[in-house]
Amino acid sequence: MDIRRADHVALLVKEVDRSRQFYSQVLGMQEIPRPPNFDFPGAWLTRGDFQIHLIGEEVAGRALETHPGYLPEELALGRVTHLAFEVANLEVARQHLQALGVPIVGGPRPRGDGVMQLYICDPDGHVIELFTWTSPS
């Protein structure tokens, strides 16, 4: 098998509009069209060469069942299932999050290999790592 690249991640969410707003405003992602035969709630967003496909729950409570959340100490250390995005400047990202009222649930902290990282959660509790290299990668 020859995997060429990661293309997208699909996230089950409670409210598509709420999640669309989060990923657009907080992470600066742009919405792109979904295939016309998709007749279920959702949205596709992109940034660079990566996409997030939001899938709206069709059974009430299903998103919470599939992603019940983590303990604060797990979040603080980043020892959870998460997405990771490299940012140009972690301090600028932290200030952006603070200005938008997005809580930082872990970090900023060194990872131990020249990376500084912090963690946030989307409205459904999906964990997102933002990181930057403090030394050459």
Side-chain angles (χ1 to χ4, degrees), residues 3-97:
I3 296 175
R4 295 182 177 187
R5 67 182 178 96
D7 179 74
H8 72 274
V9 63
L11 302 175
L12 186 64
V13 299
K14 181 177 180 179
E15 297 175 24
V16 172
D17 287 340
R18 177 181 69 170
S19 295
R20 177 190 292 116
Q21 181 177 357
F22 176 87
Y23 284 98
S24 297
Q25 291 183 355
V26 175
L27 297 185
M29 300 189 84
Q30 301 294 319
E31 187 167 6
I32 58 174
R34 296 191 315 153
N37 63 319
F38 279 28
D39 60 357
F40 55 92
W44 285 11
L45 300 119
T46 189
R47 180 78 188 242
D49 64 353
F50 188 73
Q51 296 177 9
I52 293 179
H53 296 179
L54 302 174
I55 301 172
E57 68 177 11
E58 296 185 88
V59 176
R62 187 71 175 128
L64 184 57
E65 287 177 7
T66 60
H67 188 76
Y70 297 102
L71 300 173
E73 55 270 22
E74 293 172 317
L75 290 169
L77 295 172
R79 295 181 183 159
V80 299
T81 302
H82 63 274
L83 307 172
F85 294 101
E86 183 176 0
V87 297
N89 184 306
L90 196 62
E91 178 56 22
V92 169
R94 188 196 65 75
Q95 291 173 10
H96 172 71
L97 297 169

